[in-house]
Amino acid sequence: MSATSGDYETPILPGDAPSDYERYLNTEELLALQKGPDEWVHRDELLFQVVHQSSELWLKLAASDVEEAARLAEEGDVEEAVRHLRRPLRCMRYVTDQLDMLEELSPWEYQEIRKVLGHGSGFDSPGWRALRAALPRVGQAFHARRREAGLSLVELYVQRRDHDALYRLAESLTELDEWCQAWRVRHYRVVARVIGDAVVGTQGTPVEVLGRLVQTVVFPELWEVRNELTARSKAET
């Protein structure tokens, strides 16, 4: 019986995998990207690789959607830009939450894994770098639309009911910035818990440097405007 006559168990996509699910998702290649038992220096290498590889996929999606949000904002479609920024926010929640899995590593036994990481470091994450590179573009697009409307940041927040889409874009950028900072904090605490906070990382960077980076934000002006709004409110009372 052919697939066109109701045989839904017969794959129709090109490839050698036994199902279309596996062919479309390239599961054979995907699941071969982790070391096998005969290659492990410790069985928790699988945990370590799965957490980091899945993080790269979520960060890839986040960067792609931030780029799309930037394009839409540049073209003046602020409403759709806001909608696209909801997905990177979920991505950042996922990559932050799954860091919990790394706390399942025994600090002593992880030292065996650490020996085979070479100079590998989270600083080299292509997904994180792509996301960080995409964020300024969407910020610039937001400010272009704000200036086009003749608004300062303070005016946008005070008059937010008259400029709802722009306001929601500003708040989405703030929330995304907050989640990036939350990821930094969580990453630092996990590293400190597993290897310590007074040691040098695999790339020769002291772990304490991670601690200093947790205050880094992408859109400082969106945080500063809160201070300005508070000062304005006090001046008007």
Side-chain angles (χ1 to χ4, degrees):
M1 182 183 295
S2 68
T4 57
S5 62
D7 180 10
Y8 294 106
E9 294 184 2
T10 300
I12 59 175
L13 297 179
D16 299 322
S19 71
D20 280 337
Y21 176 90
E22 295 164 287
R23 292 183 183 187
Y24 180 77
L25 293 177
N26 297 315
T27 56
E28 184 176 355
E29 294 86 347
L30 178 65
L31 299 178
L33 294 176
Q34 300 79 41
K35 286 185 176 183
D38 57 334
E39 302 172 282
W40 295 337
V41 296
H42 188 280
R43 70 178 316 278
D44 281 346
E45 276 196 88
L46 181 58
L47 182 157
F48 190 83
Q49 287 192 311
V50 166
V51 168
H52 286 84
Q53 288 179 351
S54 57
S55 292
E56 290 299 333
L57 290 173
W58 286 121
L59 290 169
K60 178 179 181 178
L61 177 60
S64 174
D65 279 328
V66 169
E67 286 283 359
E68 179 64 4
R71 184 189 68 80
L72 290 163
E74 288 166 352
E75 294 178 356
D77 195 346
V78 176
E79 287 276 2
E80 192 67 5
V82 172
R83 189 183 77 81
H84 269 78
L85 284 181
R86 303 314 300 173
R87 296 194 291 202
L89 286 168
R90 289 185 181 273
C91 289
M92 289 310 301
R93 289 187 180 96
Y94 295 154
V95 298
T96 302
D97 287 346
Q98 70 184 25
L99 287 173
D100 291 355
M101 286 296 295
L102 295 181
E103 293 192 344
E104 298 298 322
L105 295 169
S106 157
W108 177 245
E109 292 173 358
Y110 170 70
Q111 295 299 326
E112 292 302 308
I113 299 174
R114 194 169 182 235
K115 292 173 184 176
V116 298
L117 297 181
H119 295 154
S121 166
F123 287 116
D124 294 328
S125 163
W128 180 249
R129 287 182 172 182
L131 177 60
R132 291 278 297 173
L135 287 170
R137 179 184 170 192
V138 71
Q140 290 165 6
F142 157 71
H143 285 300
R145 300 290 76 77
R146 174 184 58 77
R147 289 190 294 268
E148 194 176 75
L151 297 166
S152 68
L153 271 179
V154 168
E155 289 168 339
L156 172 60
Y157 275 81
V158 172
Q159 303 170 31
R160 62 112 180 155
R161 292 189 178 183
D162 297 323
H163 307 278
D164 182 63
L166 268 177
Y167 168 77
R168 287 188 291 111
L169 180 54
E171 285 297 275
S172 292
L173 293 177
T174 303
E175 189 175 356
L176 190 52
D177 207 359
E178 185 175 17
W179 271 102
C180 287
Q181 190 176 39
W183 180 87
R184 286 183 182 277
V185 172
R186 190 73 188 96
H187 181 246
Y188 166 68
R189 293 313 313 170
V190 169
V191 171
R193 176 168 171 171
V194 176
I195 67 170
D197 61 1
V199 300
V200 175
T202 48
Q203 204 174 59
T205 304
V207 171
E208 64 186 45
V209 171
L210 291 177
R212 294 199 295 269
L213 288 173
V214 300
Q215 297 300 322
T216 302
V217 294
V218 181
F219 307 114
E221 71 280 8
L222 291 175
W223 296 99
E224 178 57 30
V225 73
R226 271 81 177 159
N227 296 322
E228 296 175 33
L229 291 167
T230 299
R232 174 169 173 163
S233 176
K234 287 183 178 180
E236 291 178 355
T237 57

